[in-house]
Amino acid sequence: LSQSLAQSRVQLGSGLTHGLGAGASPEVGEGAARDSIDRVLEGIQSANMAFLTAGMGGGTGTGAAPVIAQALRDAGILTVAVVTTPFRFEGTRRMRIALQGLQELKDHVDTMIVIPNQNLFRIASPRTSLADAFRMADDVLYSGVRSVTDLMVLPGLINLDFADVRAVMSEMGQAMMGTGEAEGEDEARAVTAAEHAIKNPLLDNVSLAGARGVLINITGGPDMTLYEVDAAANRIREEVDEDANIIFGSAFDESMHGRVRVSVVATGIKDFNFDSS
């Protein structure tokens, strides 16, 4: 905890666990979170939106995440969970605990994105280091979260406000996120970037089909054209429910000459499958 780069750090349940961890027991993790919930909320009660990240299957993530999520929503904060499930080599017991934790967590968040650690094998090669593999997963999470926050806080060609984001993400259940980037001299690059965004290899058999809310953020250099933006947005629109609430934003980035980046966050996806491993 002392090595964390976060500005605010809270040790959960120091009186309960004495700093020795939860011992892979969700019950201990839950107790630790309840013991420290006031301190957790001290710095964020004035927030409009919170991202809750955790690894499910152990004690702290599985037990504490639902407690903290419930407290956030009780405070009126839009709560988005981005969580992982265990590797297959960690065994069926840990996976079973993770799935039970997901079942509980989903009732206390507005939107939840689940990334199985096992899917890191889809983007890694035999020569990929362990650190690089996790960094790839971090980059996907970072890009998805950034696609939401950039729409609200960065000046762009088409800006959105928090009310737009809340409309898409409030009480929407399962979600997916993805980012794609492509370069070239014609509008095909925008469609290629959109294709990469909607086919996130880290997500477990999740598609945009039937999504009821979609955030689309398209960023490019000064050479990005109206036709490119139209092509990329329409490619994504083809995948979602015809009545989906689509929130669109776009920005220019001088450093992206010749490139286009498309980020998608889709919410309200049907058939949340907790049994998939």
Side-chain angles (χ1 to χ4, degrees):
L1 184 61
S2 64
Q3 298 182 38
S4 170
L5 299 179
Q7 293 181 345
S8 300
R9 291 166 288 186
V10 176
Q11 181 179 346
L12 297 181
S14 57
L16 177 65
T17 66
H18 306 290
L20 300 178
S25 170
E27 291 76 16
V28 174
E30 178 182 349
R34 295 193 185 282
D35 185 56
S36 306
I37 195 63
D38 291 338
R39 290 193 60 204
V40 172
L41 294 177
E42 277 178 7
I44 56 176
Q45 282 189 320
S46 61
N48 293 311
M49 183 176 188
F51 290 90
L52 181 62
T53 64
M56 307 302 281
T60 304
T62 310
V67 174
I68 296 173
Q70 182 178 5
L72 292 172
R73 290 194 73 192
D74 288 346
I77 299 173
L78 180 67
T79 305
V80 179
V82 184
V83 297
T84 61
T85 55
F87 286 102
R88 189 172 297 143
F89 61 69
E90 295 181 80
T92 56
R93 181 182 183 276
R94 195 172 181 90
M95 178 61 76
R96 184 170 62 252
I97 292 173
L99 296 179
Q100 291 170 351
L102 292 176
Q103 287 281 14
E104 183 174 359
L105 180 61
K106 74 180 181 65
D107 295 329
H108 301 298
V109 297
D110 289 286
T111 299
M112 183 162 69
I113 298 167
V114 181
I115 298 183
N117 279 339
Q118 187 66 27
N119 288 356
L120 287 174
F121 287 100
R122 297 179 180 178
I123 61 175
S125 71
R127 300 181 63 86
T128 302
S129 71
L130 183 63
D132 285 342
F134 279 110
R135 195 173 295 115
M136 292 176 187
D138 287 345
D139 286 343
V140 172
L141 299 182
Y142 166 73
S143 297
V145 172
R146 187 184 65 181
S147 70
V148 177
T149 56
D150 281 2
L151 288 175
M152 295 183 288
V153 302
L154 294 184
L157 189 64
I158 301 175
N159 290 311
L160 304 173
D161 56 32
F162 178 70
D164 295 316
V165 175
R166 180 180 286 277
V168 171
M169 305 196 78
S170 179
E171 299 184 7
M172 277 295 194
Q174 187 188 18
M176 67 83 68
M177 61 170 61
T179 296
E181 193 170 306
E183 57 186 348
E185 300 297 331
D186 55 37
E187 65 185 60
R189 63 184 180 180
V191 176
T192 300
E195 292 278 358
H196 290 325
I198 63 181
K199 295 179 180 178
N200 187 338
L202 288 179
L203 300 184
D204 203 24
N205 302 319
V206 175
S207 74
L208 273 68
R212 293 180 286 122
V214 185
L215 287 172
I216 304 173
N217 190 7
I218 301 177
T219 304
D223 59 331
M224 183 173 67
T225 69
L226 173 64
Y227 280 89
E228 285 184 296
V229 171
D230 177 72
N234 278 317
R235 177 64 190 90
I236 296 168
R237 186 178 58 82
E238 292 171 1
E239 299 289 329
V240 304
D241 189 278
E242 61 181 14
D243 293 323
N245 183 15
I246 299 177
I247 303 294
F248 172 80
S250 183
F252 287 125
D253 183 339
E254 294 289 340
S255 67
M256 290 191 63
H257 186 85
R259 294 181 291 136
V260 172
R261 181 173 63 241
V262 178
S263 296
V264 180
V265 178
T267 62
I269 295 174
K270 301 175 182 178
D271 299 325
F272 207 137
N273 180 12
F274 290 110
D275 294 325
S276 177
S277 59

